Amino acid sequence: MRKSILTLTAIAFAMGISAQKVEFEEYNLKNGMHVILHQDSSAPVVTVGVMYHVGAKDEVDGKTGMAHFYEHLLFTGTKNIGRGEWNKIEAANGGTGNANTNWDRTYYYETFPSNNLELALWMESERLMHPIIDQKAVDTQNEVVKEEKRQRMDNAPYGKIIYGDVYNHIFDNHKYGRPMIGYIKDLDAAKLEEFKAFYDKWYMPNNAVLVVAGDFEKATAKKMIDDYFGPISQRTLPNRVTIIEPERTLEKKVKEYDSNIQLPAIILAHKTPSMKERESLVLDVISTILSNGKSSRLYKKLVDDKKKAFQVFSFARELEDYSVYNIGAIPLDETSLDDLTTEMDEEIEKLQTELISDKDLQKVRNKFENRFVASNSNVQGIANSLARNYMLVGDTNRINTELDIVNSITKEEIRDVAKKYLAKNRRVVIEYLPKKK
């Protein structure tokens, strides 16, 4: 009998109930690998994800780009999976897989019909035990990375904003100031031994978390996990150097150019607290108030009412050591960037001096609950959330407590955090301008 599939979103809206608690079990293997199990039999699928605690911030000067490079390289094949066969095996067994990288971590995941759990675990253990790292693989993936950079960044309108290439203006010391994808010249100059050394330095069981989420039996899954990952030896983790970024005390103004745009943009960029901190969530709430949706303050004012902006945006990129919060707008017609800055500053000042209404506060809480339900509406999303909260927040159960934290945020906190972190003397004003090709 075919099982019916109901997402958490559908359940929540159909029944009018709050977001469901995510049940999980976690433990460590003897080699230090952390394991998280989440059972969900609502659909006959299972996701296996492995997150490694290595990202762009861990790269050495002159050898950037390797964290993201491995996101591609580790799909080449292994000692027991032929070169180019990885995706074919997934497809032949009804599965899909992918990977992604940021400044803090690299995440690989696969989703299969639940009767292929063992296959998924074997493939991920192969990635850790027997990867193909040779010159042919490096040369092939180097071209793939270059093409990705051309499509997603070099030739994408506003790509430097979206993918963080403007962060060098925000961070003076921290490695978050480097592009997440690194510099192509560094990859071109890197020797095969250096690629292997990066893998040996960071890819080990005691620097990873394994998540299994979906339709499976715990006892069976634990046995498979122990069989495939237990024999992998732990190694000594490298020492991480904590880089302290000084607080900005004077407003900084810079210009960036993009040959892919016709309309300029103005960005008010801020360094904000780590994703572990409560204030980071408060800033996420502020971002929602300012520009999330057509009922947000900046959209209603600049796009609908005054028709000074073609588009407005603000977003918080939450990271392990520090976070980034950007507020921006694209002008309409003859509106100047200075005019947009003045208008945005007025809305920021209101948040810094006035308490938001009960209605606005409840609207924000509703949006966060909807976002939680949407992001955890399938086992793939839950697996990602569990791994991220364990590795970067240091609290796996944050997946269940984040909404409680948001719902406990007061109007006074919103005002005080806006006053503290959105102060003019702490920000970088970026004029993002068209550049002739």
Side-chain angles (χ1 to χ4, degrees), residues 217-331:
E217 295 296 330
K218 274 191 180 180
T220 303
K222 287 181 177 180
K223 174 67 166 54
M224 292 177 183
I225 291 168
D226 195 53
D227 288 344
Y228 288 112
F229 289 91
I232 306 173
S233 299
Q234 66 176 349
R235 298 196 301 277
T236 302
L237 281 168
N239 291 325
R240 276 192 166 89
V241 178
T242 302
I243 299 176
I244 304 299
E245 184 68 25
E247 295 297 342
R248 193 171 302 284
T249 56
L250 292 174
E251 183 182 69
K252 177 181 176 182
K253 294 186 176 182
V254 298
K255 294 181 179 181
E256 274 285 347
Y257 296 91
D258 188 338
S259 60
N260 301 296
I261 64 173
Q262 295 181 341
L263 297 176
I266 189 71
I267 307 158
L268 310 179
H270 311 78
K271 174 182 70 67
T272 52
S274 160
M275 64 190 297
K276 303 174 185 179
E277 305 298 327
R278 179 184 176 93
E279 288 176 320
S280 182
L281 277 176
V282 179
L283 282 160
D284 208 356
V285 168
I286 290 171
S287 177
T288 303
I289 295 169
L290 282 176
S291 71
N292 188 301
K294 295 185 177 181
S295 63
S296 63
R297 293 186 176 187
L298 287 177
Y299 192 96
K300 287 175 65 178
K301 177 181 182 180
L302 295 176
V303 180
D304 282 349
D305 297 341
K306 295 191 174 183
K307 294 180 171 50
K308 289 186 174 183
F310 171 74
Q311 187 56 272
V312 299
F313 57 88
S314 71
F315 59 89
R317 175 162 277 158
E318 298 171 326
L319 296 167
E320 184 178 23
D321 299 338
Y322 298 98
S323 298
V324 173
Y325 180 59
N326 291 330
I327 308 169
I330 299 172

Side-chain angles (χ1 to χ4, degrees), residues 184-242:
I184 295 299
K185 62 182 176 64
D186 290 348
L187 291 176
D188 285 341
K191 297 179 174 59
L192 179 60
E193 292 73 21
E194 292 171 328
F195 283 102
K196 291 181 177 179
F198 184 87
Y199 182 89
D200 292 339
K201 183 176 182 179
W202 296 106
Y203 279 80
M204 60 190 78
N206 46 316
N207 195 41
V209 54
L210 165 69
V211 181
V212 179
D215 186 23
F216 62 90
E217 295 296 330
K218 274 191 180 180
T220 303
K222 287 181 177 180
K223 174 67 166 54
M224 292 177 183
I225 291 168
D226 195 53
D227 288 344
Y228 288 112
F229 289 91
I232 306 173
S233 299
Q234 66 176 349
R235 298 196 301 277
T236 302
L237 281 168
N239 291 325
R240 276 192 166 89
V241 178
T242 302

Side-chain angles (χ1 to χ4, degrees), residues 10 48 55 101 103 173 202 261 276 321 328 354-355 373 386 426:
V48 172
T101 313
W103 287 264
N173 297 335
W202 296 106
I261 64 173
K276 303 174 185 179
D321 299 338
E354 303 172 11
L355 298 181
V373 172
L386 289 168
R426 295 180 66 136

Side-chain angles (χ1 to χ4, degrees), residues 51-300:
M51 185 174 286
Y52 296 90
H53 201 176
V54 57
K57 74 176 182 187
D58 299 303
E59 296 162 349
V60 177
D61 289 337
K63 295 180 175 60
T64 66
M66 288 197 176
H68 172 258
F69 193 84
Y70 266 98
E71 172 195 321
H72 295 270
L73 187 64
L74 292 187
F75 282 94
T76 299
T78 74
K79 177 181 176 182
N80 299 303
I81 299 174
R83 194 185 302 270
E85 293 295 314
W86 191 283
N87 291 336
K88 293 179 183 179
I89 293 174
E90 287 178 334
N93 289 276
T96 60
N98 213 330
N100 51 69
T101 313
N102 71 8
W103 287 264
D104 295 318
R105 90 295 178 277
T106 307
Y107 182 54
Y108 305 85
Y109 62 94
E110 302 182 59
T111 300
F112 279 98
S114 52
N115 61 346
N116 279 322
L117 170 60
E118 185 169 10
L119 174 63
L121 290 169
W122 171 71
M123 292 178 75
E124 287 302 326
S125 69
E126 277 290 297
R127 203 195 303 269
L128 185 54
M129 293 179 72
H130 305 125
I132 293 176
I133 306 174
D134 58 19
Q135 195 62 53
K136 181 179 179 180
V138 168
D139 292 342
T140 300
Q141 297 306 324
N142 200 4
E143 291 305 313
V144 173
V145 170
K146 287 179 181 177
E147 182 60 24
E148 179 183 354
K149 184 176 186 296
R150 282 191 289 267
Q151 290 184 4
R152 292 173 56 185
M153 298 170 202
D154 298 345
N155 299 327
Y158 308 100
K160 291 181 181 180
I161 303 174
I162 298 169
Y163 294 104
D165 283 26
V166 297
Y167 291 178
N168 62 308
H169 299 304
I170 303 171
F171 294 98
D172 297 321
N173 297 335
H174 202 283
K175 304 303 182 184
Y176 288 158
R178 292 193 305 219
M180 187 279 294
I181 202 170
Y183 300 109
I184 295 299
K185 62 182 176 64
D186 290 348
L187 291 176
D188 285 341
K191 297 179 174 59
L192 179 60
E193 292 73 21
E194 292 171 328
F195 283 102
K196 291 181 177 179
F198 184 87
Y199 182 89
D200 292 339
K201 183 176 182 179
W202 296 106
Y203 279 80
M204 60 190 78
N206 46 316
N207 195 41
V209 54
L210 165 69
V211 181
V212 179
D215 186 23
F216 62 90
E217 295 296 330
K218 274 191 180 180
T220 303
K222 287 181 177 180
K223 174 67 166 54
M224 292 177 183
I225 291 168
D226 195 53
D227 288 344
Y228 288 112
F229 289 91
I232 306 173
S233 299
Q234 66 176 349
R235 298 196 301 277
T236 302
L237 281 168
N239 291 325
R240 276 192 166 89
V241 178
T242 302
I243 299 176
I244 304 299
E245 184 68 25
E247 295 297 342
R248 193 171 302 284
T249 56
L250 292 174
E251 183 182 69
K252 177 181 176 182
K253 294 186 176 182
V254 298
K255 294 181 179 181
E256 274 285 347
Y257 296 91
D258 188 338
S259 60
N260 301 296
I261 64 173
Q262 295 181 341
L263 297 176
I266 189 71
I267 307 158
L268 310 179
H270 311 78
K271 174 182 70 67
T272 52
S274 160
M275 64 190 297
K276 303 174 185 179
E277 305 298 327
R278 179 184 176 93
E279 288 176 320
S280 182
L281 277 176
V282 179
L283 282 160
D284 208 356
V285 168
I286 290 171
S287 177
T288 303
I289 295 169
L290 282 176
S291 71
N292 188 301
K294 295 185 177 181
S295 63
S296 63
R297 293 186 176 187
L298 287 177
Y299 192 96
K300 287 175 65 178

